[in-house]
Amino acid sequence: MIQVHGYAAQHAGAPLTPFQFERRAPGPHDVQIEILYSGICHSDLHQAHAHWGAELFPMVPGHEIIGRVVAVGAHVTKLKPGDYAGVGCMVDSCRHCSACEEDLEQYCDEGATWTYNAIERDGVTPTYGGYSDQIVVEERFVVSIPETLDLKGAAPLLCAGITTYSPLRHWKVGPGQKVGVIGLGGLGHMGVKLAKAMGAQVVMITTTPEKGRDATRLGADEVLVSRDPAAMASHAASFDFLLNTIPVGHDVNPYLALLKRDRTMVLVGALEPLQPALNGANLIFGRKSISGSGIGGMAETQEMIDFCAKHGVVSDVEVVPIQQVNEAWQRLEKNDVKYRFVIDMASLRGEVA
Amino acid sequence: MIQVHGYAAQHAGAPLTPFQFERRAPGPHDVQIEILYSGICHSDLHQAHAHWGAELFPMVPGHEIIGRVVAVGAHVTKLKPGDYAGVGCMVDSCRHCSACEEDLEQYCDEGATWTYNAIERDGVTPTYGGYSDQIVVEERFVVSIPETLDLKGAAPLLCAGITTYSPLRHWKVGPGQKVGVIGLGGLGHMGVKLAKAMGAQVVMITTTPEKGRDATRLGADEVLVSRDPAAMASHAASFDFLLNTIPVGHDVNPYLALLKRDRTMVLVGALEPLQPALNGANLIFGRKSISGSGIGGMAETQEMIDFCAKHGVVSDVEVVPIQQVNEAWQRLEKNDVKYRFVIDMASLRGEVA
């Protein structure tokens, strides 16, 4: 076993405090990674506060992990010690269902094994995430990080990046299309950068002109203020695709009016009831669709990393030491970050040393 | 002008009473039709009761029209006097927008001209529907009815038939697929017959075992009682397509659990808020979709008629004289019909004579 240092919540709502635990020694197919950066995702807060039910404590959050490979098992082929590697939201899946066979492990019929707040497929071992100094993961669930990518800005690609990249690819966003990204947070700012890099005309749809100005800096061609009914009406039936990153329940009806006939709005953030209620008429008139999409498979995650390296896309991050993680969470709850906190794990090694 | 006899509601909620009015004499592109049968659609009641707002009175309902051609304009090519003809929900559209150019007149950017409770594109002439003895319609919005089709059973094809046929075709339903039809009424019973004729394995999803038995008679391979949680769980993640014909707001969440990954449920009936609210998680986990679909274009309506003639598909109807239309409406409000009322317009001519 490997001794690991991290930060954990000991019970629902508890502050994160130092926590020492063990991980398995790398098996023949495993990669052992010294964690350099770990992004803070809003879902970390949801789970640590037990908003979604069935949470496991102590909980070491973190599923946007960038590190350096320190050891590999005998059968590992795609990584070697010294390489940079990434780990996202999953560390395992059943590997034999149709989803796994189609490289869509996130939709595994038996349920993927999440990077933290889950139980390994042995049925007993809890998973602990990236707010820690080392992790051991099977090769299939590790991506290779090119040296040219800014490492701290790359950490959020493992969740916020793939969550927005996957639907943009699946619904074939590209040149000649007018694409709206709804909501400017960790997900939304990646959506703008990625849709722009894919060649689309990108409109940031947000609540205030102030947020809009920053979206323009990120690459948005235009800003649509959703609280301005006249502006919304002027964009009616003009969008080829809408990426909806709002992380809470909300009224989807005004956004459906923005879609052209036969087009789709994809939800990636709202794991909640959408209220006020969706009106069926807003789908029937124009044969429109609402879909959802969750992260991406491992092959597509590697494709996304390579796409970001090629196009120079990383997340806008604010780097914090692990000792300030509770303050960072408090600020994140107020959306006070542009656009993703990333923990520099060197701070943890300094503490342990 | 042509003198026409029909039945109309004089104001919202009024019973239908005899009403005499004029229609235009057929122009060079028009077809004049002696109406033989007119189906009763649930939307007739909604509009006559002004449930949807902006209704026009007097209102002559009816958009499931079968008749015999009595005269055609000089430029009409696809029909001649003596032919059987059908008219559905639309009698005109702008004809130059992308939807019209793609034979999707029902999604016309400028709005289709509905067969009743609407204003012709001249901006002044009200449209009057099929509860009448004659109608004059431009050739593009008239379909040819093969002599082999049972005429009274064919009337509901013009709305209930095309409303269910179009999404089954658009989402490519066919052999090897497990297809669920949700709700057994005028739309649902056509959905079962058409999906079966397209070669799918058809499951009727309804509220009671009694309704299910009748669905089996209509051709359903299996029945799933939606109020039985164990039965619903046993069909989880097994459907390739769901055609949701429920005509009122309802909880869509339990049905989404029936879909396989990457599959779609299409709403064709519920022009209302869907409550309790749709939970975004039910789309995100499995990359599922909810879409809507409204009737079908004129080319597809002809395709549907020809498909029904080839496969011997018509609606199960109960024929009533026009003098009993108010009683038929009352029974329809209680779902007391298997599965569509059709008015025999010979009864109107007898009254007028």
Side-chain angles (χ1 to χ4, degrees):
Chain A
M1 302 299 276
I2 295 171
Q3 296 301 313
V4 182
H5 293 86
Y7 266 54
Q10 293 293 331
H11 58 82
L16 297 173
T17 52
F19 175 61
Q20 191 168 341
F21 59 100
E22 293 185 329
R23 297 192 189 271
R24 70 173 183 267
H29 297 279
D30 283 339
V31 179
Q32 182 180 351
I33 300 165
E34 178 191 55
I35 299 176
L36 300 174
Y37 295 104
S38 188
I40 297 179
C41 176
H42 204 277
S43 63
D44 297 346
L45 281 69
H46 279 298
Q47 293 179 80
H49 288 85
H51 288 164
W52 294 341
E55 279 79 2
L56 305 171
F57 293 92
M59 183 188 299
V60 178
H63 59 206
E64 297 183 336
I65 300 168
I66 293 279
R68 188 187 291 110
V69 176
V70 292
V72 298
H75 294 144
V76 170
T77 57
K78 75 179 181 193
L79 290 157
K80 61 181 189 306
D83 288 348
Y84 293 111
V87 176
C89 301
M90 302 179 282
V91 292
D92 209 349
S93 68
C94 86
R95 309 180 190 206
H96 54 68
C97 71
S98 67
C100 288
E101 286 182 355
E102 293 173 40
D103 290 324
L104 295 165
E105 300 93 341
Q106 78 274 31
Y107 303 127
C108 174
D109 287 351
E110 300 180 11
T113 304
W114 307 113
T115 302
Y116 71 89
N117 187 27
I119 297 290
E120 295 271 12
R121 303 191 96 75
D122 64 8
V124 293
T125 309
T127 62
Y128 293 123
Y131 294 13
S132 61
D133 62 1
Q134 291 197 80
I135 193 164
V136 177
V137 180
E138 210 271 351
E139 178 182 31
R140 176 169 176 161
F141 294 87
V142 181
V143 293
S144 171
I145 305 293
E147 300 216 350
T148 54
L149 213 46
D150 173 70
L151 292 180
K152 55 189 183 304
L157 298 181
L158 276 304
C159 173
I162 187 63
T163 297
T164 49
Y165 179 91
S166 181
L168 291 169
R169 280 295 195 217
H170 186 72
W171 276 272
K172 303 188 194 313
V173 162
Q177 292 179 26
K178 180 177 173 183
V179 170
V181 178
I182 305 170
L184 182 55
L187 292 171
H189 97 290
M190 287 309 308
V192 167
K193 292 184 179 201
L194 290 167
K196 188 69 187 168
M198 291 175 189
Q201 177 197 351
V202 179
V203 180
M204 165 50 60
I205 305 170
T206 186
T207 48
T208 67
E210 292 67 37
K211 284 192 181 181
R213 275 192 285 279
D214 209 45
T216 307
R217 179 183 64 77
L218 296 169
D221 296 289
E222 202 174 338
V223 172
L224 171 54
V225 176
S226 57
R227 288 177 182 163
D228 178 345
M232 290 288 278
S234 75
H235 284 264
S238 70
F239 282 87
D240 294 288
F241 184 77
L242 290 173
L243 182 69
N244 184 331
T245 74
I246 300 175
V248 294
H250 61 280
D251 185 357
V252 295
N253 293 291
Y255 301 114
L256 290 172
L258 299 175
L259 284 174
K260 290 181 183 171
R261 167 174 52 84
D262 281 321
R263 300 309 202 281
T264 299
M265 174 166 73
V266 176
L267 307 174
V268 294
L271 296 170
E272 299 185 2
L274 301 166
Q275 285 169 318
L278 165 65
N279 189 318
N282 294 331
L283 299 175
I284 291 172
F285 294 110
R287 199 162 54 186
K288 298 174 182 180
S289 299
I290 300 185
S291 304
S293 179
I295 53 171
M298 293 315 303
E300 193 174 47
T301 304
Q302 185 68 61
E303 177 192 308
M304 176 273 306
I305 290 287
D306 297 343
F307 178 91
C308 288
K310 179 178 173 190
H311 292 272
V313 172
V314 289
S315 183
D316 283 22
V317 301
E318 178 176 340
V319 178
V320 292
I322 189 78
Q323 294 78 7
Q324 292 177 17
V325 66
N326 294 301
E327 290 79 358
W329 277 24
Q330 287 165 8
R331 285 181 51 200
L332 179 55
E333 285 196 291
K334 295 180 284 188
N335 291 321
D336 177 22
V337 57
K338 286 180 179 172
Y339 281 92
R340 205 70 156 177
F341 284 114
V342 169
I343 307 167
D344 180 352
M345 283 303 159
S347 61
L348 178 60
R349 276 180 282 276
E351 178 176 287
V352 172
Chain B
M1 302 298 276
I2 295 170
Q3 296 300 314
V4 182
H5 293 88
Y7 266 54
Q10 292 294 331
H11 58 82
L16 298 172
T17 52
F19 175 60
Q20 191 168 339
F21 59 100
E22 292 184 329
R23 296 193 189 272
R24 70 174 182 266
H29 297 277
D30 283 338
V31 178
Q32 181 180 351
I33 300 165
E34 178 190 55
I35 299 176
L36 301 175
Y37 295 104
S38 189
I40 297 178
C41 176
H42 204 278
S43 63
D44 297 346
L45 281 69
H46 280 297
Q47 293 179 79
H49 288 87
H51 288 163
W52 294 342
E55 279 80 2
L56 305 172
F57 294 92
M59 182 188 299
V60 178
H63 58 206
E64 298 182 335
I65 301 168
I66 294 279
R68 188 187 292 110
V69 177
V70 294
V72 298
H75 294 143
V76 170
T77 57
K78 75 179 182 193
L79 289 156
K80 61 182 190 305
D83 288 349
Y84 293 112
V87 176
C89 301
M90 301 179 281
V91 291
D92 209 348
S93 68
C94 85
R95 308 180 191 205
H96 54 69
C97 71
S98 68
C100 288
E101 286 182 355
E102 293 173 39
D103 290 323
L104 295 166
E105 300 93 339
Q106 78 273 32
Y107 302 128
C108 174
D109 287 351
E110 300 180 10
T113 304
W114 307 112
T115 301
Y116 69 89
N117 188 26
I119 298 290
E120 295 271 12
R121 302 191 97 75
D122 64 8
V124 293
T125 309
T127 62
Y128 293 123
Y131 294 13
S132 61
D133 61 1
Q134 291 197 78
I135 193 166
V136 177
V137 180
E138 210 271 354
E139 178 182 30
R140 177 170 175 159
F141 293 87
V142 180
V143 293
S144 171
I145 305 293
E147 300 216 349
T148 53
L149 213 46
D150 173 70
L151 293 180
K152 56 187 182 304
L157 298 181
L158 276 306
C159 173
I162 186 63
T163 297
T164 49
Y165 180 90
S166 182
L168 291 169
R169 281 295 195 218
H170 186 71
W171 276 272
K172 303 188 194 313
V173 162
Q177 291 180 26
K178 179 177 173 182
V179 170
V181 178
I182 305 170
L184 182 55
L187 292 172
H189 97 290
M190 287 309 308
V192 168
K193 291 185 180 202
L194 290 167
K196 188 70 187 166
M198 291 175 190
Q201 177 197 352
V202 180
V203 180
M204 165 49 61
I205 305 171
T206 185
T207 47
T208 68
E210 293 68 37
K211 283 192 180 179
R213 274 192 285 281
D214 209 45
T216 306
R217 179 183 63 78
L218 296 168
D221 296 289
E222 201 175 340
V223 172
L224 171 54
V225 176
S226 58
R227 289 178 182 164
D228 178 345
M232 290 288 279
S234 75
H235 284 265
S238 70
F239 282 86
D240 293 288
F241 185 77
L242 291 173
L243 182 68
N244 184 330
T245 74
I246 299 174
V248 294
H250 61 280
D251 185 358
V252 295
N253 293 292
Y255 302 114
L256 290 172
L258 299 175
L259 285 174
K260 290 181 184 171
R261 167 175 51 84
D262 282 322
R263 300 308 201 280
T264 300
M265 174 166 74
V266 176
L267 307 173
V268 294
L271 297 170
E272 300 184 1
L274 302 167
Q275 285 169 318
L278 165 66
N279 189 319
N282 294 331
L283 299 175
I284 290 172
F285 294 110
R287 200 163 53 185
K288 298 174 181 180
S289 299
I290 300 185
S291 305
S293 179
I295 54 172
M298 294 315 303
E300 193 174 47
T301 303
Q302 185 68 61
E303 177 192 308
M304 177 273 306
I305 290 287
D306 296 343
F307 177 92
C308 287
K310 180 179 173 188
H311 293 271
V313 171
V314 290
S315 183
D316 282 22
V317 301
E318 179 176 338
V319 178
V320 293
I322 188 78
Q323 295 79 7
Q324 292 177 17
V325 67
N326 294 300
E327 291 79 358
W329 276 25
Q330 287 165 9
R331 285 181 51 200
L332 179 55
E333 284 196 292
K334 295 179 284 189
N335 291 321
D336 177 23
V337 58
K338 285 181 180 172
Y339 281 92
R340 205 69 157 178
F341 284 113
V342 169
I343 307 167
D344 181 352
M345 282 303 159
S347 61
L348 179 60
R349 277 180 280 276
E351 178 177 286
V352 173

mmCIF file of all heavy atoms in Angstrom, chain B residues 209-227:
data_model
loop_
_atom_site.group_PDB
_atom_site.id
_atom_site.type_symbol
_atom_site.label_atom_id
_atom_site.label_comp_id
_atom_site.label_asym_id
_atom_site.label_seq_id
_atom_site.Cartn_x
_atom_site.Cartn_y
_atom_site.Cartn_z
ATOM 1 N N PRO B 209 -54.556 -2.251 -17.141
ATOM 2 C CA PRO B 209 -54.510 -3.501 -17.904
ATOM 3 C C PRO B 209 -55.659 -3.606 -18.908
ATOM 4 O O PRO B 209 -55.511 -4.192 -19.970
ATOM 5 C CB PRO B 209 -54.628 -4.585 -16.825
ATOM 6 C CG PRO B 209 -54.223 -3.926 -15.548
ATOM 7 C CD PRO B 209 -54.626 -2.494 -15.679
ATOM 8 N N GLU B 210 -56.820 -3.003 -18.596
ATOM 9 C CA GLU B 210 -57.972 -3.082 -19.496
ATOM 10 C C GLU B 210 -57.654 -2.413 -20.829
ATOM 11 O O GLU B 210 -57.903 -2.956 -21.902
ATOM 12 C CB GLU B 210 -59.197 -2.406 -18.862
ATOM 13 C CG GLU B 210 -59.761 -3.111 -17.635
ATOM 14 C CD GLU B 210 -58.827 -3.068 -16.429
ATOM 15 O OE1 GLU B 210 -58.158 -2.029 -16.221
ATOM 16 O OE2 GLU B 210 -58.742 -4.077 -15.705
ATOM 17 N N LYS B 211 -57.100 -1.188 -20.753
ATOM 18 C CA LYS B 211 -56.722 -0.505 -21.986
ATOM 19 C C LYS B 211 -55.679 -1.328 -22.734
ATOM 20 O O LYS B 211 -55.671 -1.394 -23.957
ATOM 21 C CB LYS B 211 -56.148 0.879 -21.674
ATOM 22 C CG LYS B 211 -57.190 1.917 -21.318
ATOM 23 C CD LYS B 211 -56.535 3.295 -21.314
ATOM 24 C CE LYS B 211 -57.506 4.391 -20.973
ATOM 25 N NZ LYS B 211 -56.846 5.711 -20.965
ATOM 26 N N GLY B 212 -54.807 -1.950 -21.948
ATOM 27 C CA GLY B 212 -53.764 -2.752 -22.563
ATOM 28 C C GLY B 212 -54.320 -3.881 -23.403
ATOM 29 O O GLY B 212 -53.807 -4.170 -24.487
ATOM 30 N N ARG B 213 -55.372 -4.528 -22.918
ATOM 31 C CA ARG B 213 -55.945 -5.632 -23.693
ATOM 32 C C ARG B 213 -56.398 -5.156 -25.065
ATOM 33 O O ARG B 213 -56.215 -5.832 -26.072
ATOM 34 C CB ARG B 213 -57.107 -6.273 -22.916
ATOM 35 C CG ARG B 213 -56.625 -7.340 -21.932
ATOM 36 C CD ARG B 213 -57.778 -8.164 -21.386
ATOM 37 N NE ARG B 213 -58.575 -7.451 -20.404
ATOM 38 C CZ ARG B 213 -58.221 -7.286 -19.118
ATOM 39 N NH1 ARG B 213 -57.084 -7.792 -18.675
ATOM 40 N NH2 ARG B 213 -59.008 -6.643 -18.279
ATOM 41 N N ASP B 214 -57.002 -3.973 -25.107
ATOM 42 C CA ASP B 214 -57.449 -3.480 -26.395
ATOM 43 C C ASP B 214 -56.252 -3.135 -27.298
ATOM 44 O O ASP B 214 -56.312 -3.307 -28.515
ATOM 45 C CB ASP B 214 -58.348 -2.259 -26.210
ATOM 46 C CG ASP B 214 -59.355 -2.149 -27.343
ATOM 47 O OD1 ASP B 214 -59.946 -3.187 -27.697
ATOM 48 O OD2 ASP B 214 -59.520 -1.045 -27.890
ATOM 49 N N ALA B 215 -55.177 -2.684 -26.680
ATOM 50 C CA ALA B 215 -53.982 -2.370 -27.467
ATOM 51 C C ALA B 215 -53.439 -3.616 -28.148
ATOM 52 O O ALA B 215 -52.953 -3.561 -29.283
ATOM 53 C CB ALA B 215 -52.912 -1.742 -26.563
ATOM 54 N N THR B 216 -53.539 -4.742 -27.469
ATOM 55 C CA THR B 216 -53.087 -6.002 -28.064
ATOM 56 C C THR B 216 -53.915 -6.318 -29.307
ATOM 57 O O THR B 216 -53.380 -6.723 -30.341
ATOM 58 C CB THR B 216 -53.201 -7.128 -27.026
ATOM 59 O OG1 THR B 216 -52.500 -6.731 -25.845
ATOM 60 C CG2 THR B 216 -52.594 -8.411 -27.566
ATOM 61 N N ARG B 217 -55.213 -6.088 -29.220
ATOM 62 C CA ARG B 217 -56.078 -6.283 -30.380
ATOM 63 C C ARG B 217 -55.658 -5.391 -31.549
ATOM 64 O O ARG B 217 -55.721 -5.775 -32.724
ATOM 65 C CB ARG B 217 -57.532 -5.961 -29.982
ATOM 66 C CG ARG B 217 -58.555 -6.100 -31.097
ATOM 67 C CD ARG B 217 -59.960 -5.694 -30.656
ATOM 68 N NE ARG B 217 -60.077 -4.282 -30.271
ATOM 69 C CZ ARG B 217 -60.160 -3.266 -31.134
ATOM 70 N NH1 ARG B 217 -60.137 -3.493 -32.426
ATOM 71 N NH2 ARG B 217 -60.255 -2.019 -30.689
ATOM 72 N N LEU B 218 -55.168 -4.169 -31.228
ATOM 73 C CA LEU B 218 -54.755 -3.231 -32.269
ATOM 74 C C LEU B 218 -53.405 -3.599 -32.884
ATOM 75 O O LEU B 218 -53.010 -3.024 -33.893
ATOM 76 C CB LEU B 218 -54.675 -1.815 -31.695
ATOM 77 C CG LEU B 218 -55.985 -1.207 -31.195
ATOM 78 C CD1 LEU B 218 -55.706 0.066 -30.403
ATOM 79 C CD2 LEU B 218 -56.920 -0.908 -32.362
ATOM 80 N N GLY B 219 -52.683 -4.522 -32.218
ATOM 81 C CA GLY B 219 -51.408 -4.944 -32.789
ATOM 82 C C GLY B 219 -50.219 -4.818 -31.863
ATOM 83 O O GLY B 219 -49.101 -5.211 -32.242
ATOM 84 N N ALA B 220 -50.401 -4.280 -30.661
ATOM 85 C CA ALA B 220 -49.265 -4.157 -29.739
ATOM 86 C C ALA B 220 -48.758 -5.546 -29.358
ATOM 87 O O ALA B 220 -49.538 -6.468 -29.105
ATOM 88 C CB ALA B 220 -49.682 -3.386 -28.486
ATOM 89 N N ASP B 221 -47.436 -5.704 -29.315
ATOM 90 C CA ASP B 221 -46.837 -6.983 -28.940
ATOM 91 C C ASP B 221 -46.875 -7.195 -27.436
ATOM 92 O O ASP B 221 -46.825 -8.320 -26.949
ATOM 93 C CB ASP B 221 -45.372 -7.015 -29.407
ATOM 94 C CG ASP B 221 -45.270 -6.944 -30.917
ATOM 95 O OD1 ASP B 221 -45.618 -7.932 -31.568
ATOM 96 O OD2 ASP B 221 -44.868 -5.878 -31.435
ATOM 97 N N GLU B 222 -46.911 -6.105 -26.703
ATOM 98 C CA GLU B 222 -46.795 -6.197 -25.251
ATOM 99 C C GLU B 222 -47.457 -4.967 -24.648
ATOM 100 O O GLU B 222 -47.616 -3.941 -25.316
ATOM 101 C CB GLU B 222 -45.302 -6.241 -24.870
ATOM 102 C CG GLU B 222 -45.002 -6.815 -23.512
ATOM 103 C CD GLU B 222 -43.483 -6.943 -23.273
ATOM 104 O OE1 GLU B 222 -42.705 -6.953 -24.242
ATOM 105 O OE2 GLU B 222 -43.095 -7.020 -22.100
ATOM 106 N N VAL B 223 -47.812 -5.085 -23.377
ATOM 107 C CA VAL B 223 -48.439 -3.969 -22.673
ATOM 108 C C VAL B 223 -47.637 -3.695 -21.409
ATOM 109 O O VAL B 223 -47.241 -4.625 -20.699
ATOM 110 C CB VAL B 223 -49.897 -4.292 -22.310
ATOM 111 C CG1 VAL B 223 -50.488 -3.214 -21.417
ATOM 112 C CG2 VAL B 223 -50.722 -4.486 -23.571
ATOM 113 N N LEU B 224 -47.380 -2.434 -21.151
ATOM 114 C CA LEU B 224 -46.691 -2.028 -19.927
ATOM 115 C C LEU B 224 -47.613 -1.058 -19.189
ATOM 116 O O LEU B 224 -47.969 -0.002 -19.726
ATOM 117 C CB LEU B 224 -45.356 -1.353 -20.286
ATOM 118 C CG LEU B 224 -44.586 -0.664 -19.178
ATOM 119 C CD1 LEU B 224 -44.326 -1.592 -17.994
ATOM 120 C CD2 LEU B 224 -43.261 -0.116 -19.710
ATOM 121 N N VAL B 225 -47.989 -1.438 -17.987
ATOM 122 C CA VAL B 225 -48.899 -0.606 -17.198
ATOM 123 C C VAL B 225 -48.056 0.410 -16.413
ATOM 124 O O VAL B 225 -47.282 0.051 -15.532
ATOM 125 C CB VAL B 225 -49.766 -1.463 -16.252
ATOM 126 C CG1 VAL B 225 -50.644 -0.582 -15.369
ATOM 127 C CG2 VAL B 225 -50.627 -2.420 -17.072
ATOM 128 N N SER B 226 -48.213 1.677 -16.770
ATOM 129 C CA SER B 226 -47.331 2.711 -16.235
ATOM 130 C C SER B 226 -47.523 2.934 -14.744
ATOM 131 O O SER B 226 -46.640 3.479 -14.077
ATOM 132 C CB SER B 226 -47.543 4.019 -16.997
ATOM 133 O OG SER B 226 -48.895 4.417 -16.909
ATOM 134 N N ARG B 227 -48.664 2.519 -14.197
ATOM 135 C CA ARG B 227 -48.896 2.707 -12.754
ATOM 136 C C ARG B 227 -48.292 1.580 -11.924
ATOM 137 O O ARG B 227 -48.434 1.577 -10.704
ATOM 138 C CB ARG B 227 -50.402 2.802 -12.485
ATOM 139 C CG ARG B 227 -51.000 4.106 -12.984
ATOM 140 C CD ARG B 227 -52.502 4.163 -12.766
ATOM 141 N NE ARG B 227 -53.048 5.400 -13.288
ATOM 142 C CZ ARG B 227 -54.333 5.610 -13.530
ATOM 143 N NH1 ARG B 227 -55.217 4.646 -13.277
ATOM 144 N NH2 ARG B 227 -54.767 6.763 -14.007
#
